[in-house]
Amino acid sequence: MQESVLALTDLAVLPTSAVFNAVKMIKNEGVGNIDPQVITQASLLYKLPMDFASVDIMVFICSSSEFPDHQLFEEIPRVVKPGGMVLLHQSSESAPGEMKTSLLVRKLLVAGFVDVKVFPVNSVIQSEAAQFLGIKARKPSWKIGSSFALERKPTKVLPKVQIDDDMDLIDEDSLLTEADLKKPQLPPSGDCEVGSTRKACKNCTCGRAEVEEKVPKLELTMDHLNNPQSACGSCGLGDAFRCGTCPYRGLPPFKLGEKVTLAGNFLVADI
């Protein structure tokens, strides 16, 4: 069966023998029955005049490191048949080191090619004696829209647990004590509030109101303001430290033995 071969070069003239030598680098066996098509000065093209998936072997024989450019490189996956091969034949002296080679390899991998290999080769043109590099790759045999069944790994089967109906089970209710079964006593509605400062409510029924009435209330006098004293030692620290019956509640902090006064800017607006 005759294979279709497309050779592209940025040279003005390319001998046919150079194409056959390039095909031999791709195929380990003989060249076989081929009828190559050669496009010279292909660096002037940005789109190939070829149909979709119409080429079995595509060869680039490059004399410049700028060939093939990005637009022409995008034509490779379009033109090459599934399972087809591509070869880029470049001079290692004209190519700017390994950076250019790695860039071409990365482009082939991104385009979907597999088995990408870089290897040193001789010149396909017998008159040239420079060192060359070859980059060959293969397009996968599957086509766009193909589907494959994924291999599923065998799942581990969990051991089955045998449950004996005659097994003695512990009754959950037997774990509870009499204290656990008692219903908690909730405070009756309308009773005194429970908080950081306990005060009798208006309709107090627990007796707190009577107790508060018996507690003597201390009234603030001028002696308290002129010579403040404290039995607990916390009255001068402020309302946060004063008890509920403290006569100094509402006054600013002060020093014991000194007259209680307000700051000069106490009544001045903040803004």
Side-chain angles (χ1 to χ4, degrees):
M1 182 178 179
Q2 186 176 11
E3 292 182 320
S4 58
V5 177
L6 176 63
L8 297 98
T9 181
D10 53 346
L11 298 172
V13 179
L14 181 69
T16 308
S17 60
V19 180
F20 281 88
N21 293 333
V23 174
K24 290 179 181 179
M25 297 178 185
I26 297 178
K27 302 180 65 176
N28 296 328
E29 63 273 7
V31 176
N33 186 16
I34 62 172
D35 184 15
Q37 302 181 60
V38 180
I39 299 179
T40 58
Q41 297 182 342
S43 57
L44 302 177
L45 301 177
Y46 64 92
K47 187 176 181 63
L48 296 177
M50 308 295 295
D51 296 333
F52 177 80
S54 58
V55 176
D56 293 304
I57 299 175
M58 192 171 187
V59 178
F60 286 87
I61 300 176
C62 316
S63 63
S64 171
S65 60
E66 302 298 329
F67 178 76
D69 60 3
H70 179 69
Q71 291 181 336
L72 194 60
F73 201 94
E74 290 182 346
E75 288 288 283
I76 298 177
R78 184 186 70 86
V79 173
V80 178
K81 294 181 181 180
M85 301 290 294
V86 60
L87 172 69
L88 288 95
H89 183 276
Q90 282 199 333
S91 172
S92 59
E93 296 178 357
S94 61
E98 297 180 356
M99 183 178 299
K100 176 66 175 181
T101 303
S102 60
L103 178 62
L104 294 174
V105 171
R106 186 162 58 249
K107 284 185 177 182
L108 288 172
L109 293 174
V110 172
F113 285 81
V114 295
D115 300 336
V116 181
K117 296 180 180 179
V118 180
F119 54 97
V121 295
N122 297 324
S123 174
V124 293
I125 302 176
Q126 296 179 357
S127 59
E128 295 181 351
Q131 295 296 325
F132 286 81
L133 287 176
I135 305 174
K136 67 177 180 179
R138 179 177 59 85
K139 187 176 181 179
S141 57
W142 47 265
K143 298 180 181 179
I144 297 177
S146 301
S147 60
F148 302 90
L150 298 177
E151 296 182 1
R152 295 184 179 180
K153 296 182 179 180
T155 56
K156 296 182 179 180
V157 180
L158 298 177
K160 296 182 179 180
V161 179
Q162 298 293 336
I163 300 177
D164 189 4
D165 295 337
D166 298 334
M167 184 183 300
D168 295 335
L169 300 178
I170 299 176
D171 187 8
E172 296 177 355
D173 295 336
S174 64
L175 301 177
L176 300 176
T177 62
E178 294 182 0
D180 297 331
L181 297 175
K182 288 183 179 180
K183 187 176 181 180
Q185 296 294 332
L186 300 177
S189 60
D191 200 356
C192 300
E193 297 180 358
V194 179
S196 58
T197 58
R198 300 187 178 184
K199 296 181 180 180
C201 54
K202 294 181 180 180
N203 54 348
C204 179
T205 59
C206 67
R208 185 182 296 275
E210 289 79 1
V211 175
E212 290 181 357
E213 290 178 358
K214 295 179 181 180
V215 177
K217 296 182 179 179
L218 300 178
E219 295 182 358
L220 185 65
T221 63
M222 291 302 298
D223 293 337
H224 291 145
L225 296 177
N226 295 329
N227 185 21
Q229 300 296 327
S230 174
C232 63
S234 301
C235 297
L237 301 178
D239 285 348
F241 303 92
R242 294 166 182 164
C243 58
T245 59
C246 182
Y248 296 103
R249 287 181 65 86
L251 294 179
F254 55 85
K255 293 182 179 180
L256 299 179
E258 297 182 4
K259 185 177 180 179
V260 181
T261 57
L262 300 177
N265 60 346
F266 183 78
L267 300 178
V268 179
D270 295 336
I271 53 175

